[in-house]
Amino acid sequence: NVGLAANVTLDSSNGGGSPAGATISVTGTVDADLAANNRTLTLNSGTGGNTTLSGAVGNNQALQNLTVANSNALSLQAITTTADIQLNAQNTVTLNNAINAGSGTVTIGANQNGAGAESFTMAAGSSITTTNTTANAVQIHVNAAAGGTGTAALRNITTGDGGTLTVATNTGGNATGGDITQTAATLLNVGSGTINLTTPAIASANIGVSATPILTSAGTSNASTGTSGIYITETDGADFTATATGAGPITLTSTTGALNIAGATSTGTGAITLTADTVNVNNTLSSTGALALNPVTAAGNLTVSSSSASNLTDGFSAITIGNAAGTGAVTVNALTVSDPLTIRSPTTTGTVTVN
């Protein structure tokens, strides 16, 4: 085990003089001597050397900062700091345990050489936590302008209330990056903050999947992807902006609270499905596919409103409001449509009100 009595830098690249570097492997735990000493650990294994931390860092006494300036592949166990964590790798970044940056930011770069399918992966038991509330609270960037098809596989990520989480596989304008997915029953939680999820707008790219949507707790969610679509479930209402391409579907759900279309939301020919107790269309919504506005459950109530007569862009193949087996009250306020429309809550106790 290692105790830091000073700030430590391990650099197998000789300060850049040997860019390929060599492997850095720490098998035991790493702790600071005293909290007041604000110890930092900086690692640089170059472009060719792997960095592996097999033991917990800061578990008994937190470091102030941990920086992995460069690495070929990077594998980490638990990390606890009081300030910023920066992790960079030319290829794969794998988290195997809990990462806690205190009030600091977490910045991760994977597949930075812009080649191959190396990715960012949060393995079983891993998480990212910070109390940081800034626009840079947690940033995860995969691939580079030169290319790369790497993906981002997420689990629990938490920022301070109002912080921003950004996950992108189109780093530097990359046009080949892969999907953003999340393990079931895990949560991206920024409180009243913002979640930004972006992949290239290409064939087969997606954010979440139908069976396992991205699960969020946020004030604002922005998502942009390709032809395999966007699937997001929000736990307590949010402002959404979502863009897919081609036949990419957009499926947005708010299990409680209002689902607000706050920014221009569109796909090419894909279906758009919005599910919530209250849907407010406060910006343009467009596709040549079908639009469905649903209550959370067949027995639930649904209220639909639009801030402008032009928000539902002409061109949907059909617009359906309400559940086919609905038993609740469907209320439609100030909504202008130019496409075939069905409003339904057809069972005995169901009602439809148009204002």
Side-chain angles (χ1 to χ4, degrees):
N1 298 336
V2 178
L4 300 186
N7 296 336
V8 172
T9 297
L10 301 178
D11 184 357
S12 64
S13 74
N14 190 28
S18 301
T23 292
I24 295 175
S25 179
V26 180
T27 57
T29 61
V30 179
D31 289 291
D33 50 358
L34 295 171
N37 289 335
N38 294 325
R39 300 305 186 196
T40 66
L41 176 61
T42 302
L43 307 175
N44 187 344
S45 58
T47 60
N50 296 334
T51 300
T52 303
L53 299 179
S54 300
V57 175
N59 184 57
N60 297 311
Q61 182 59 65
L63 279 62
Q64 181 182 45
N65 299 100
L66 172 67
T67 300
V68 180
N70 202 1
S71 180
N72 178 40
L74 174 59
S75 180
L76 304 166
Q77 293 295 328
I79 299 172
T80 304
T81 65
T82 60
D84 298 349
I85 295 173
Q86 298 182 47
L87 308 173
N88 298 291
Q90 297 299 302
N91 291 295
T92 300
V93 174
T94 303
L95 305 186
N96 297 297
N97 213 312
I99 306 298
N100 190 328
S103 61
T105 62
V106 178
T107 305
I108 299 172
N111 205 27
Q112 292 187 325
N113 67 2
E118 287 76 20
S119 301
F120 170 71
T121 301
M122 296 182 70
S126 68
S127 62
I128 298 172
T129 302
T130 176
T131 61
N132 192 278
T133 60
T134 71
N136 299 317
V138 178
Q139 300 181 75
I140 300 168
H141 296 282
V142 185
N143 305 309
T149 60
T151 62
L154 310 178
R155 289 179 182 261
N156 289 310
I157 301 177
T158 303
T159 75
D161 185 15
T164 297
L165 164 63
T166 297
V167 183
T169 64
N170 69 334
T171 307
N174 170 288
T176 56
D179 306 334
I180 298 173
T181 58
Q182 184 186 18
T183 299
T186 63
L187 179 67
L188 309 182
N189 184 359
V190 297
S192 60
T194 299
I195 295 175
N196 299 314
L197 305 173
T198 311
T199 78
I202 58 174
S204 300
N206 58 275
I207 295 172
V209 295
S210 179
T212 313
I214 303 292
L215 183 63
T216 64
S217 180
T220 301
S221 287
N222 303 313
S224 179
T225 192
T227 63
S228 288
I230 296 170
Y231 302 87
I232 299 175
T233 295
E234 164 64 30
T235 60
D236 60 358
D239 295 341
F240 285 92
T241 302
T243 305
T245 57
I250 296 175
T251 301
L252 307 176
T253 299
S254 179
T255 54
T256 60
L259 191 164
N260 305 312
I261 299 301
T265 293
S266 66
T267 181
T269 60
I272 298 178
T273 304
L274 308 179
T275 301
D277 294 332
T278 300
V279 175
N280 297 313
V281 184
N282 296 330
N283 210 308
T284 56
L285 195 60
S286 61
S287 173
T288 59
L291 171 63
L293 309 177
N294 299 320
V296 176
T297 66
N301 299 328
L302 172 63
T303 301
V304 178
S305 303
S306 177
S307 63
S308 171
S310 61
N311 282 345
L312 289 185
T313 305
D314 185 12
F316 288 102
S317 60
I319 299 173
T320 303
I321 302 174
N323 190 292
T327 62
V330 174
T331 303
V332 180
N333 299 316
L335 194 67
T336 299
V337 299
S338 303
D339 304 310
L341 173 66
T342 300
I343 305 175
R344 62 191 184 183
S345 188
T347 58
T348 304
T349 58
T351 62
V352 171
T353 303
V354 179
N355 298 318

